Amino acid sequence: MINRDEHKSFFMIDPAIVEDNKKSYAIQESYKETYGLDTLGINPSIVHRNLSPTVLIEKAIRNGEGILTDTGALAVTTGKFTGRSPHDKYIVDTDGVHDLISWGDVNHPISRAVFNALKDEMCQFLSGKEIFIFDGYAGADPQHRRKFRIINELPSQNLFIRDLLIRPTSSEKENFGEADYTILVAPGYKCNAKRYGINSEAAIIIDYEAHFAIIAGSQYSGEIKKTVFSIMNFAMPLEENVLPMHCSANMDPETGDTAIFFGLSGTGKTTLSADPNRDLIGDDEHGWSDRGVFNFEGGCYAKCIDLDKAKEPEIYHAIHFGSVLENVVTDDEHVPDYSDRSLTENTRVGYPIDFIPNASENGRGGIPKVVLFLTADAFGVFPPISKLTRNAAIYHFVTGFTAKLAGTERGIKEPQPTFSTLFGEPFMPLRTERYAEMFGERLDTYGTQVYLVNTGWSGGAFGTGSRIKLAYTRAMVTAAINGDLEHAEYIHDDRFNLEIPLNIEGVPPEIMIPKNTWADPEAYEKQADELAEMFIENFEKKYPDMPAEIAAAGPKGK
């Protein structure tokens, strides 16, 4: 329990805000209506809807869910689940969606009967409890947004999703109406895996036709965020002709020139897009319509491991009152230790996007001028940056090569090479061809330039080589965005079918050709051949129906 004397910073805020929060608290506590939860079979002791951060934080601390750090951020631990649990994720298989879904190792089918049984048990579990609702939006472009209702067992998770989604104005709250999608979240409910034929006590299930999702057994809040993303990735292409993207985005505040950064967790999307010289549109999830790029979210979810004030000042300073730290260890004075890995490598912080000083006011940008694919190559054989042709861009968009970094998923202890379709395979439910066609159409229409950026290793594989310096990567990204690379001298890499620039201001020229950084050139050749073969085998296995010209734009065999 945290008392007021120990954390005076918690209460050192504008008295008018405190008074407003007290009124909000009193009004909420006096409500007895269930906001429709009774129709789900939930008979709560009390229901709170769209509470302020102050009240949610106070309730979370009273519940023993977390503590306040020295900066005022709420620090929580998530127990057994410190990352996403992909083997516990399911899609309800119905006639209406069956032919649309890319079934396989990622998208697992489950019957509606099992889904409904689990949902009913969750509702019974939540009856008699204090329930927290957040009604908000996904989609910063009003023309394409969707309304979401998130029903939480825990106030700390309700604060998290309040931070991450788009918060409605006062008038929007009053006129919110029925949600387009509902997500029921109860980490305290543990599934009976044997009874229902699922993998564990956790279950993350989406019923696209019913517009309903459940998240049971896991307190890792990233599951909520990614469930929203998976829903948008299903709805946007089918209903809006919007390409959903697992990417960050920023733009020039003067010209409006927009750049987007694709990549899996830990490859640098958040870090590289948080450029003090550009406006941040968003750090993870976006749509590309004929009007431009728009953020799906109203917040950011950044990795904290080894967070450094000097290297990532925007993220570092965003960790204050209203933000939520996950699994970050603190000392006796409640000071976070961002280097502590004792709970997980996947330490995180969620915060509203306006905690970043240069965040875009409306979460929207123009048609992307530049696309950057970020890959953390654990083999150490990819060039730091390379220019892609149109077909090569589609190839690498589909392939999504990177290293799966430690802690992002349960059981991952060190980087592992992986191919994640569309740089976000776990969240892209539709068939790959649909997304690839939409991407290709946009490249053809707008002439957007695409670059592949290796934020991983150089001079050897993981364990032998070293991670490419962030300062070098920033210089390469800047050169791509400002157009310098349009006029650079290139050399063609036959094995990987890539165009490599030879000189970039601020980057040592010797690191541009990977082979030159290895002490043993023969070892490089062997490792590079192995990776090229992995690309070929992966593409032939996963994308046999992709056009031949796309397959030919990828790496070559020996």
Side-chain angles (χ1 to χ4, degrees), residues 375-383 395-396 399 401-403 417-419 452 454 495-496 498 518 523-539 555-558:
T375 177
D377 172 24
F379 289 101
V381 295
F382 257 29
Y395 179 96
H396 285 280
T399 302
F401 167 71
T402 190
T418 188
F419 295 94
L452 182 65
N454 176 18
R495 178 189 285 106
F496 291 113
L498 298 173
W518 282 56
Y524 167 84
E525 295 287 349
K526 180 181 179 182
Q527 190 77 90
D529 283 340
E530 289 179 1
L531 181 57
E533 288 299 323
M534 287 180 64
F535 268 91
I536 294 168
E537 292 173 7
N538 173 75
F539 203 87
K556 308 297 183 182
K558 295 180 182 180

Side-chain angles (χ1 to χ4, degrees), residues 40-83:
L40 296 175
I42 301 175
N43 182 26
S45 62
I46 193 167
V47 183
H48 307 286
R49 176 177 178 261
N50 287 16
L51 282 180
S52 67
T54 305
V55 178
L56 288 170
I57 290 168
E58 184 176 354
K59 284 182 172 292
I61 292 172
R62 286 181 174 180
N63 287 351
E65 296 170 33
I67 63 170
L68 287 178
T69 69
D70 65 329
T71 65
L74 178 67
V76 302
T77 56
T78 63
K80 176 180 177 181
F81 294 87
T82 58

Side-chain angles (χ1 to χ4, degrees), residues 266-287:
T267 57
K269 294 193 313 302
T270 299
T271 299
L272 292 171
S273 58
D275 184 334
N277 298 313
R278 295 172 66 85
D279 286 348
L280 177 67
I281 300 170
D283 83 325
D284 199 41
E285 301 167 3
H286 294 79

Side-chain angles (χ1 to χ4, degrees), residues 152-274:
N152 290 111
E153 174 189 359
L154 301 180
S156 60
Q157 288 198 308
N158 198 247
L159 174 64
F160 171 87
I161 200 60
R162 182 190 186 280
D163 285 349
L164 265 293
L165 289 186
I166 298 170
R167 295 156 291 283
T169 64
S170 296
S171 61
E172 287 172 337
K173 290 178 188 176
E174 294 176 2
N175 300 291
F176 193 79
E178 294 293 322
D180 297 309
Y181 294 90
T182 299
I183 303 176
L184 183 66
V185 188
Y189 169 77
K190 310 301 181 185
C191 304
N192 186 323
K194 184 176 181 180
R195 178 190 301 167
Y196 292 112
I198 57 179
N199 289 321
S200 79
E201 65 192 38
I204 302 94
I205 310 177
I206 302 174
D207 187 334
Y208 285 113
E209 284 193 327
H211 288 213
F212 205 103
I214 61 174
I215 301 173
S218 172
Q219 196 174 329
Y220 179 66
S221 292
E223 297 285 16
I224 313 174
K225 165 190 161 67
K226 291 306 184 185
T227 297
V228 172
F229 189 33
S230 297
I231 290 170
M232 293 293 283
N233 294 347
F234 179 87
M236 290 292 103
L238 298 177
E239 301 170 8
E240 304 282 348
N241 192 33
V242 168
L243 173 65
M245 304 176 293
H246 186 209
C247 71
S248 59
N250 64 24
M251 65 180 179
D252 187 305
E254 301 296 330
T255 67
D257 287 346
T258 300
I260 56 179
F261 303 73
F262 282 90
L264 293 186
S265 174
T267 57
K269 294 193 313 302
T270 299
T271 299
L272 292 171
S273 58

Side-chain angles (χ1 to χ4, degrees), residues 24 31 34 68 72 95 168 179 181 204 270-271 277 288 302 365 410 417 419 431 458 462-464 488 511 528:
S24 171
Y31 280 165
T34 67
L68 287 178
D95 291 342
Y181 294 90
I204 302 94
T270 299
T271 299
N277 298 313
W288 183 348
R410 295 176 65 216
F419 295 94
R431 296 178 63 84
S458 178
F462 171 76
T464 301
I511 76 167

